[in-house]
Each structure stands twice: as C-alpha cells, then as structure tokens.
Amino acid sequence: MSILPSLWARVFAATLAITAVPAVYAKTPADQLIVGMSMINLLSLDPAAATGLDVSEINANLYDMLLVQDVAQPDRLVPALAERWEVSEDRKTLTFHLRSGVKFQSGNPLSAEDVAWSLQRVLKLNLALASTWKAYGFSADNVESTMRATDANTFVIELPRPTDPMLVLNTLATSPSAFVLDRKKVLENQKNNDLGAAWLVTHAAGSGAFVLNDWRANDVILMTRFDGYWGGPAKLKRIVMRNMTESQSLRLMIERGDLDIAKGMSAPDIEALQSSDKVRTQTLQRGTLYYVALSVKQPMFADARVRKAVRSLIDYQGINQTVMPHYGLINQRPLPLGLPARLPDPGYRLNVEEAKKLLAEAGYPNGFKTTIRVLAEPPFINIASNLQSTLAQAGIQASIITGTGNQIYGAMRERSFDIIVGRGGGGAERHPHSSLRTLVYNPDNRDEAKLSNFQGWRTSFYSPELNQLIESAEVEPDAAKQLADYRKVQEQLDQQVGAILPISQMTDTVLIYGDVVDYQGHTAATTRYKDVYKKR
C-alpha cells in the first residue's frame, strides 16, 4: 500500500528536521502522535497470523472486536461491536447482538456475516492463532456450523465441547485473532483461494478508528483518522510509528520532544528519565511470566527433590530487586497477579542449605553438571547469570548457552534441553484456565504427541491428578467451587514441584511526553489511540 509522497513530506517534515539538527528543540505536530518502537518482530498484520504485543496494538486501532476488556478494570468486559450478549442456561451457546449502522473503512456495512467469516477464517487457515480456538474444540470442519450469523445483526457461537463461557468471552476480548475483517474487501484481494492471506500481510480491512495508509517494513507505519468511525472520530489526525531499536536514541528523542511515545527502552534509560519533568512513565502489567523451566526428561530433574532443590536455589527477591525493575514484578504462582483465584505467593527464598540437603537425599551430594539455555538479552541473560551463580553454591555447575528465540524455544519445543530461562503463559485472558493450560496442563506426555503449544508438555512434566483438576475446574458451573478448584491446583502443583518455576510477571514501561493526554496503555496490548490528544 502506498500514499502520495507529499503526504509523507508533511508527516515527517517536523520530526525529520528535528533529528537532523540535534541542537534544535521542537515539538511534534499537534495533530499527530509520533511513536518510537522496535518493529523487528513485525512480520505480518494479518489478524489470523500476527503474533506479538506490537502487532496487537497496531491492529487494535485498525480493527474492532465484539467486546473488549475495560482498560481500567481488565476483569470487566465491555461492549464494542456487540451491544450486548447472552449465555444460554446450559452454557453451550453465546449470542451476540451487533450495533447497527457500523461501516468498514471501505464503506461496506459490517454485519454478523463478517464476524462469522473472520473467525471461521482463523480456523481454516490454521495458523498460530488458531491454537486457542482448537483448544475449545473448534476446527476447520465444524467452525461454519458452530460460529455463524443468524441474521445481519446476530452472531452465535455454539461450543463444540464443554468449557467455561467466560473463557471464550475473554478470548474474544483479547486474542489478536478476534478482530473483525471486511469480508468483501478481503475476498476482492485473495489469490489462489488464500482468503486474502498474502494481501493482509501488508494491508488492513477493518472498521477501526484509524486507516492504514502505509507500512514500510522495519521503517515506519502511518495511520490516519477514520472520520466515519462508529464511536466518533479520533481526536488526532495521524499516528506515525517509527522503527527504533536503540534505547539511547529513544531516550534522547522522547526527552527533547521528538517523540510522543517511546516503547521498549532499557531499564537504565528509563531510570535516567524518572526525574525528568518533561516525560512521565506508565507501567503495564502483562499476563506472561518469566520462569525457570526444567526438563523432566533429564534423570536428575525427574526427581521432585532435585526440582525442589533448584526452587530453593533461585534468588527470587534478589532477581526482582536488581534485575526486574521495569521488566517484571515478583510472582511465584502460575496465575497472573490480581486474579481472584490466585493464591498469595508461597514465599520461596534462596536457601542453599535446604537445597544441599535435598540434593544429597536425591543422590547428588556433590551436585552435577547441566546447561541453561537463554536469550542473549536482558532481562533473560541477567536472570540466567544470577541462577548460574546460586546453583553453583550447592554444587550444580551450569553452563549458559545463548541463542535466538528459535534456537532457545525451539529446543524447548523439541524437549531437548536441561534448563531454560524463558517467558510464557496465558497472555491477556483474565481467566485461570488460560495460564494453567499453557504452563501446567499436559494431557499426553508421549514425544510423538508433539503438543508443543503446551509448555507443560515441553518440560515433560506429567501429572494426571493436576490434568483432571484443571479439566474439571474449566467446566465447573458453580463459581465458588471453580475458585476452590483453581486454588487446589496451585496447592497440588506446589507439593508436586512443577517443572516451570515462575519468578516474575512481565511488565512493560512506556515513556510518554508531558503534553500527551489520555494515553491509557492496555494490559492486553490492545492500546487504542482514539481518545489521545495533546494539550498545548
């Protein structure tokens, strides 16, 4: 997609002039939001294929969902394209009533057919984002009958198998796969029956508050206001996102007003701006956890006493005080902070003597040799270095192996590792099952099962008792009983010493220039810019 060069000239005249002459201090245009962020992991804008926090935020401004999480109270779901919805008494059918008069940016009217087709497309393409829907029992074969429009303004989901309807509602409010596409526009651009997959890598067909004008890979994204937006036009005329990977450059430009928003800055640069009267910070809590994962395929880690020893050799407090500021908050449970079902932290602390005793009981009085795989970037490498040091205090000699995401998590997916310092979890869904399904649940421990979407399977940790508890809690209709079941899962996981040991819950810190008003970062990475403006 391209736009007139003259428009680019107008958009960048101010910011490019500023960066060309460092001594000049000027403000960004009053009707534009200039965002600095890394785009190196931005490979596709297709809602059926696009994974990652950055693309979710982009698409949240180009597309709409049926419902969304309230930005101030994420546990509360609020209407968007759907004015209201009902769940049947048998908990098998969800019915959504769409608001009338909504138009896509193309001018096409938005109907329940577009909603049904958008979700059906996710299952038919069967890309990464189909996995959550498949966990609920949806498939390419049944999706047309289970997700359908009954009239222009009514969309119905019939659950293929028993599950908690609130879990499905949370997925509709947070998953990047739940954005509603302009079916007619996409099909006009499909090739070889690909349902528009090739075209949507670099284009958009939504009803959101902003229109995608241009995306230059690893360079810039330009969006302009959609004046026909059903919720009223946005306050700013344009959003400009610039690819910036150097933290010091982000720091310099946000401090002098060349950027309105800076994302992805390193902790030292964030701290250097804490006392600035020109910039403020906003910390967003994410649903994923930093953890130490042990492979139960390795004989030493198959012994719960050794896993417990490693749990006693993690300096949780030290790591969270020295490494994790601006990256995470201490969390020793597999559930996100703030969930009602989450038990308080069990209070694990570094205890070398206890670890030595456990290792001796397990037949390793002098420790053993092992490896820690980790990404060569903060805070992962810092956590790994700290862990290497504390393991050594009990005789465990761990060599650190660094690599790319594919190399580190690829080894985990292949179940060919000893220890991994990583990050994962249920994401933005505010439901206990989302995290437990990802981090603990393992219904089939055979290698040939290849359940690589389950991080519990990747570690080879297998507990039929925990599997049964998780399965029963998912479908329990009584809220109090369900809450008790989820707390029991945590207690039993504690006793059995799971193979994934949570350390900290992920946070993102965003830097905001002082005159930007009503920027509200969203924990689901669906930050919307519609109501943002500048006070000048």
Side-chain angles (χ1 to χ4, degrees), residues 128-369:
L129 291 174
S131 60
T132 299
W133 297 106
K134 289 191 289 186
Y136 302 146
F138 296 100
S139 68
D141 294 331
N142 69 23
V143 69
E144 288 191 11
S145 61
T146 55
M147 294 183 174
R148 63 186 187 277
T150 56
D151 61 46
N153 291 310
T154 309
F155 170 64
V156 173
I157 293 179
E158 290 187 1
L159 300 178
R161 69 164 185 81
T163 189
D164 186 344
M166 282 303 300
L167 185 57
V168 178
L169 290 172
N170 269 275
T171 299
L172 288 169
T174 61
S175 172
S177 66
F179 292 114
V180 177
L181 281 66
D182 183 340
R183 176 174 53 98
K184 292 180 180 178
K185 182 70 174 178
V186 174
L187 290 177
E188 286 172 5
N189 292 279
Q190 79 167 333
K191 295 180 179 178
N192 301 319
N193 296 315
D194 71 344
L195 301 179
W199 184 74
L200 281 169
V201 169
T202 56
H203 297 75
S207 60
F210 291 90
V211 180
L212 177 66
N213 297 119
D214 208 352
W215 170 29
R216 299 180 181 180
N218 293 322
D219 184 9
V220 69
I221 288 175
L222 174 63
M223 297 183 278
T224 56
R225 180 172 57 209
F226 175 36
D227 289 328
Y229 186 57
W230 60 268
K235 295 179 179 179
L236 292 174
K237 187 175 182 180
R238 295 191 183 96
I239 307 295
V240 181
M241 296 179 164
R242 303 182 58 183
N243 181 39
M244 299 184 66
T245 58
E246 293 294 330
S247 179
Q248 289 187 341
S249 297
L250 286 164
R251 170 184 165 184
L252 174 65
M253 293 183 70
I254 189 76
E255 187 172 25
R256 68 186 187 188
D258 296 353
L259 292 174
D260 299 308
I261 305 291
K263 300 174 60 183
M265 285 177 54
S266 69
D269 286 318
I270 294 171
E271 290 168 1
L273 293 177
Q274 294 279 42
S275 60
S276 172
D277 58 358
K278 300 177 182 178
V279 179
R280 66 183 185 276
T281 61
Q282 188 175 113
T283 298
L284 308 174
Q285 184 177 299
R286 303 300 186 195
T288 50
L289 302 174
Y290 292 93
Y291 58 66
V292 173
L294 310 175
S295 174
V296 179
K297 289 192 77 173
Q298 305 302 332
M300 58 279 199
F301 298 132
D303 191 318
R305 292 169 296 185
V306 176
R307 297 198 301 273
K308 191 173 181 180
V310 173
R311 193 169 71 185
S312 298
L313 290 169
I314 298 173
D315 185 7
Y316 298 92
Q317 289 71 28
I319 289 171
N320 278 282
Q321 290 170 8
T322 62
V323 174
M324 300 310 293
H326 308 297
Y327 293 115
L329 300 169
I330 190 167
N331 186 351
Q332 298 174 337
R333 296 291 188 189
L335 300 186
L337 298 168
L339 280 187
R342 182 186 177 276
L343 291 172
D345 274 340
Y348 302 136
R349 306 186 73 86
L350 177 64
N351 189 333
V352 177
E353 291 309 310
E354 180 185 2
K356 286 181 176 179
K357 179 182 176 183
L358 288 164
L359 289 172
E361 291 175 1
Y364 300 98
N366 300 314
F368 51 83
K369 291 184 178 181

Side-chain angles (χ1 to χ4, degrees), residues 43-169:
L43 306 177
S44 171
L45 299 181
D46 185 348
T51 58
L53 300 177
D54 294 329
V55 72
S56 292
E57 183 162 320
I58 293 166
N59 279 344
N61 290 282
L62 301 173
Y63 295 93
D64 284 311
M65 293 172 159
L66 288 172
L67 61 157
V68 296
Q69 287 180 346
D70 184 272
V71 67
Q73 303 175 61
D75 289 323
R76 178 172 172 258
L77 301 178
V78 296
L81 290 178
E83 287 185 311
R84 67 186 192 282
W85 55 89
E86 299 108 28
V87 177
S88 63
E89 287 189 15
D90 63 6
R91 295 162 51 94
K92 294 180 179 179
T93 304
L94 290 71
T95 303
F96 301 87
H97 304 278
L98 275 59
R99 63 180 71 245
S100 59
V102 177
K103 290 188 179 295
F104 287 108
Q105 294 155 1
S106 66
N108 293 328
L110 186 151
S111 74
E113 284 288 348
D114 296 291
V115 178
W117 183 84
S118 299
L119 290 169
Q120 291 168 8
R121 178 178 178 270
V122 174
L123 273 301
K124 290 178 180 179
L125 289 176
N126 197 28
L127 300 173
L129 291 174
S131 60
T132 299
W133 297 106
K134 289 191 289 186
Y136 302 146
F138 296 100
S139 68
D141 294 331
N142 69 23
V143 69
E144 288 191 11
S145 61
T146 55
M147 294 183 174
R148 63 186 187 277
T150 56
D151 61 46
N153 291 310
T154 309
F155 170 64
V156 173
I157 293 179
E158 290 187 1
L159 300 178
R161 69 164 185 81
T163 189
D164 186 344
M166 282 303 300
L167 185 57
V168 178
L169 290 172

Side-chain angles (χ1 to χ4, degrees), residues 14-58:
T15 56
L16 292 182
I18 292 168
T19 55
V21 186
V24 177
Y25 285 72
K27 294 183 178 180
T28 57
D31 62 352
Q32 299 176 29
L33 191 74
I34 312 299
V35 181
M37 56 186 279
S38 172
M39 296 183 186
I40 58 174
N41 292 319
L42 185 59
L43 306 177
S44 171
L45 299 181
D46 185 348
T51 58
L53 300 177
D54 294 329
V55 72
S56 292
E57 183 162 320
I58 293 166

Side-chain angles (χ1 to χ4, degrees), residues 294-501:
L294 310 175
S295 174
V296 179
K297 289 192 77 173
Q298 305 302 332
M300 58 279 199
F301 298 132
D303 191 318
R305 292 169 296 185
V306 176
R307 297 198 301 273
K308 191 173 181 180
V310 173
R311 193 169 71 185
S312 298
L313 290 169
I314 298 173
D315 185 7
Y316 298 92
Q317 289 71 28
I319 289 171
N320 278 282
Q321 290 170 8
T322 62
V323 174
M324 300 310 293
H326 308 297
Y327 293 115
L329 300 169
I330 190 167
N331 186 351
Q332 298 174 337
R333 296 291 188 189
L335 300 186
L337 298 168
L339 280 187
R342 182 186 177 276
L343 291 172
D345 274 340
Y348 302 136
R349 306 186 73 86
L350 177 64
N351 189 333
V352 177
E353 291 309 310
E354 180 185 2
K356 286 181 176 179
K357 179 182 176 183
L358 288 164
L359 289 172
E361 291 175 1
Y364 300 98
N366 300 314
F368 51 83
K369 291 184 178 181
T370 189
T371 60
I372 303 172
R373 294 180 182 268
V374 65
L375 296 174
E377 60 185 53
F380 300 97
I381 189 66
N382 311 85
I383 297 171
S385 297
N386 186 293
L387 178 64
Q388 181 187 44
S389 174
T390 52
L391 288 176
Q393 294 180 43
I396 300 176
Q397 301 174 45
S399 302
I400 292 178
I401 301 173
T402 60
T404 65
N406 283 336
Q407 291 169 329
I408 300 305
Y409 292 111
M412 195 179 185
R413 286 190 293 269
E414 294 297 321
R415 309 218 283 188
S416 58
F417 71 98
D418 296 341
I419 303 173
I420 280 180
V421 171
R423 186 176 67 200
E429 293 164 335
R430 299 288 294 174
H431 194 289
H433 183 78
S434 180
S435 294
L436 295 174
R437 178 184 64 211
T438 304
L439 296 173
V440 180
Y441 188 61
N442 177 11
D444 187 343
N445 198 40
R446 297 172 303 137
D447 286 349
E448 54 268 31
K450 296 191 178 299
L451 302 179
S452 58
N453 286 331
F454 298 104
Q455 293 184 40
W457 177 86
R458 296 181 192 180
T459 66
S460 305
F461 177 76
Y462 180 69
S463 170
E465 298 85 3
L466 284 171
N467 288 339
Q468 179 58 43
L469 260 179
I470 292 169
E471 290 169 0
S472 61
E474 179 191 0
V475 299
E476 174 56 57
D478 184 278
K481 177 69 166 57
Q482 185 185 54
L483 187 71
D485 284 347
Y486 281 127
R487 290 177 174 173
K488 189 173 181 181
V489 170
Q490 296 166 77
E491 291 168 352
Q492 288 204 9
L493 182 65
D494 231 15
Q495 295 165 10
Q496 295 182 28
V497 193
I500 289 181
L501 309 173

